[in-house]
Amino acid sequence: MSFTVAIIGRPNVGKSTLFNRLVGKKLALVDDTPGVTRDRREGDARIGSLKFKVIDTAGLEEAFDDSLEARMRRQTEAALEEADVILMLYDARIGISPMDRHFASWLRKSTVPVILVANKCERKDALADLGEAYALGLGDPLPLSAEHGEGMGELFDLLLPYEKEQVEEIAAKDRPIQLAIVGRPNAGKSTLVNKLIGQDRLLTGPEAGVTRDAIAIEWEFEGQKIKLVDTAGIRKRARVQKKLEKLSVADSLRVIKLAEVVVLVIDADISFEKQDLTLASHVINEGRALVVAVNKWDTVKDKNAVLQHIRDKLEISLPQVRGVPVVTLSALTGRGLEKLMPRVLKVYELWNTRISTSRLNRWLELMLEKHPPPMAKGRRLKVRYMTQVKARPPTFSLFMSSRGELPESYIRYLINGIREDFDMPAVPIRISPRTGKNPYVDGKK
């Protein structure tokens, strides 16, 4: 199974009923008597195409001695340690109890993401009192009926990011980092690659356009596998006339699309030109992580002025990715080269950032309180919750009411908040608003 889900809650809130619903069999005993489940039970669960392991747990009890209840609690704690995500159930017909509040406080301290589930919501009157669940500090409650199978589509949406996360992490473990070296002709890209790998692997020379094909080289830096790809120089489109150069440029743009981190090499003698900024913008639009390498730095006289000029240009032209690392070096002599790869690995790590759903929604509550969403059709837009659907680059879904469209300015406000509060400079961040109708309105499922 790709990830593990633990079902947790006080006795008799419907954990075993949900467990049976997810595994498609009546594996767990279900009865109105509280405390039927004592050991944790595991099963292979499925919602549509989504497959995962689910753990049914004993009802949480406030017991820490050697009693049966305390031993049951320890079984539940073991399930918590094993899980990638927790479903905390409470009985929506009864409402929030003091025990629910106590264990919600306990779960908030955990590093494992928590999804709050309001079970037994098959009747509309149960939906009316969901507001009190916000006091638990676990985000929006998901209305669900484990007995009747209502709300499973919404549960699918909330669990899907964890499948993608596990698949990406497993796939990335043994795979080399895809690192592309791009820039204008004669910026020193091939010289830089040769110096990095310690051999004259690529043809270099003073003539512009020596490299025509994208050349991939397997390399290793401090135990990390790297796939270095040198590319042909990219000039302004208006200057590209010959068919061969057009093919070379198209190949370079394809490499950027397949890369994970892109090093943009610029000539310090020429400094930033419009073509460099166009290339940088293209890298960001493709969702790649970016590092700027300022080559031929040993020939620069007023180093402070040139460096400030480059940083100002980046700040003005790429406001969507603040903090792009700038490394000054000489590919010919190797001076400053030791700074490049640590920056590449750091930005690659940021590009792979994962933020847990519970942590993300606690942050979202503060952002909404600080600056509420705008009005639409006379009513304020309601943001329900937020979840990260993928990394590489960090991409988030923002679930909201369907009354209106969230302005681009508000999305930028949230992106800037994520970048600042979670320390994620230099990488693209994407937020996709999603709207959906309440499945329980007008009796529709």
Side-chain angles (χ1 to χ4, degrees):
M1 295 295 105
S2 58
F3 64 103
T4 301
V5 176
I7 305 173
I8 289 178
R10 60 181 173 81
N12 213 33
V13 293
K15 298 185 299 299
S16 295
T17 303
L18 179 58
F19 175 86
N20 288 342
R21 170 70 60 182
L22 292 173
V23 300
K25 302 175 184 177
K26 291 187 177 181
L27 296 181
L29 292 177
V30 177
D31 191 80
D32 290 337
T33 306
V36 173
T37 302
R38 289 181 172 176
D39 289 296
R40 69 183 191 271
R41 179 188 292 273
E42 300 179 0
D44 295 339
R46 180 172 182 169
I47 309 176
S49 61
L50 185 64
K51 297 179 181 179
F52 52 95
K53 183 170 81 172
V54 63
I55 306 176
D56 184 24
T57 64
L60 288 167
E61 300 278 3
E62 184 68 358
F64 299 91
D65 50 18
D66 292 326
S67 63
L68 175 61
E69 289 77 12
R71 297 198 299 275
M72 289 163 59
R73 177 191 169 91
R74 286 195 287 272
Q75 287 287 320
T76 299
E77 289 175 339
L80 176 65
E81 293 177 1
E82 187 178 343
D84 297 300
V85 58
I86 295 166
L87 302 181
M88 179 182 165
L89 266 65
Y90 78 94
D91 189 332
R93 291 185 296 196
I94 296 175
I96 302 298
S97 71
M99 190 177 292
D100 290 323
R101 291 189 179 89
H102 174 79
F103 288 113
S105 176
W106 176 58
L107 289 175
R108 284 200 305 270
K109 299 174 185 176
S110 169
T111 58
V112 183
V114 179
I115 297 173
L116 181 62
V117 177
N119 193 26
K120 306 182 184 180
C121 279
E122 56 271 9
R123 297 200 312 266
K124 287 186 179 180
D125 56 352
L127 295 170
D129 297 323
L130 291 183
E132 63 175 341
Y134 288 93
L136 298 178
L138 297 175
D140 283 342
L142 169 66
L144 183 145
S145 173
E147 184 175 357
H148 298 278
E150 297 177 353
M152 302 306 290
E154 287 70 23
L155 182 59
F156 174 93
D157 289 338
L158 290 176
L159 292 179
L160 185 60
Y162 300 100
E163 180 191 51
K164 292 182 178 179
E165 177 178 350
Q166 293 295 320
V167 170
E168 285 178 356
E169 287 182 357
I170 292 169
K173 282 183 179 178
D174 300 319
R175 191 177 61 197
I177 296 175
Q178 307 291 314
L179 176 60
I181 311 296
V182 304
R184 286 182 283 111
N186 214 30
K189 300 181 296 299
S190 298
T191 304
L192 175 61
V193 172
N194 285 342
K195 186 62 72 171
L196 282 171
I197 65 177
Q199 56 179 293
D200 291 333
R201 170 65 177 79
L202 301 173
L203 185 64
T204 61
E207 305 88 357
V210 172
T211 302
R212 287 179 171 174
D213 295 307
I215 307 298
I217 301 170
E218 302 291 340
W219 182 53
E220 192 170 300
F221 176 78
E222 296 183 356
Q224 172 65 58
K225 294 179 180 178
I226 308 285
K227 187 175 181 179
L228 269 172
V229 186
D230 184 29
T231 63
I234 303 175
R235 295 194 297 165
K236 290 181 180 180
R237 184 176 298 179
R239 295 181 181 177
V240 179
Q241 301 293 335
K242 296 181 180 180
K243 181 180 178 182
L244 184 58
E245 186 176 0
K246 287 182 179 180
L247 292 173
S248 297
V249 170
D251 197 30
S252 298
L253 296 177
R254 179 189 60 83
V255 168
I256 291 174
K257 193 171 186 177
L258 297 176
E260 295 170 327
V261 181
V262 176
V263 173
L264 172 59
V265 182
I266 66 173
D267 189 330
D269 292 331
I270 303 174
S271 190
F272 248 134
E273 285 193 344
K274 184 178 179 180
Q275 178 62 11
D276 295 312
L277 294 170
T278 301
L279 265 175
S281 181
H282 180 74
V283 170
I284 298 305
N285 290 338
E286 288 290 348
R288 310 302 99 181
L290 176 65
V291 176
V292 174
V294 187
N295 192 24
K296 307 178 186 179
W297 192 244
D298 50 335
T299 64
V300 175
K301 294 181 179 179
D302 193 347
K303 290 180 168 51
N304 290 333
V306 172
L307 187 59
Q308 189 60 49
H309 172 73
I310 291 170
R311 286 176 173 158
D312 289 344
K313 283 278 190 179
L314 285 171
E315 190 74 20
I316 295 170
S317 303
L318 299 175
Q320 68 272 38
V321 280
R322 296 171 182 168
V324 172
V326 178
V327 180
T328 56
L329 53 85
S330 170
L332 190 62
T333 66
R335 188 171 182 178
L337 198 65
E338 72 283 354
K339 299 178 291 184
L340 180 61
M341 286 310 299
R343 296 288 181 87
V344 167
L345 295 180
K346 177 61 179 176
V347 81
Y348 176 75
E349 180 185 340
L350 292 172
W351 191 66
N352 281 275
T353 296
R354 282 275 181 188
I355 305 173
S356 72
T357 302
S358 56
R359 185 182 173 203
L360 189 62
N361 281 283
R362 286 196 292 271
W363 168 85
L364 181 62
E365 288 180 16
L366 295 174
M367 293 295 286
L368 296 175
E369 183 179 335
K370 181 179 177 182
H371 183 33
M375 306 284 283
K377 298 179 182 178
R379 300 175 65 186
R380 190 168 298 282
L381 291 170
K382 181 183 177 184
V383 175
R384 293 165 55 202
Y385 64 93
M386 191 176 193
T387 186
Q388 184 171 359
V389 294
K390 66 183 287 289
R392 311 161 63 84
T395 304
F396 305 86
S397 280
L398 188 69
F399 293 83
M400 52 181 294
S401 63
S402 56
R403 289 194 298 270
E405 191 171 314
L406 200 63
E408 191 66 34
S409 59
Y410 198 82
I411 295 175
R412 286 198 302 270
Y413 161 70
L414 294 176
I415 288 175
N416 291 336
I418 290 175
R419 190 180 305 284
E420 183 176 343
D421 296 335
F422 294 100
D423 192 21
M424 293 169 61
V427 295
I429 296 174
R430 295 170 175 173
I431 294 180
S432 175
R434 293 181 59 180
T435 59
K437 295 181 180 179
N438 190 322
Y440 301 101
V441 174
D442 300 327
K444 295 179 182 179
K445 297 181 183 179

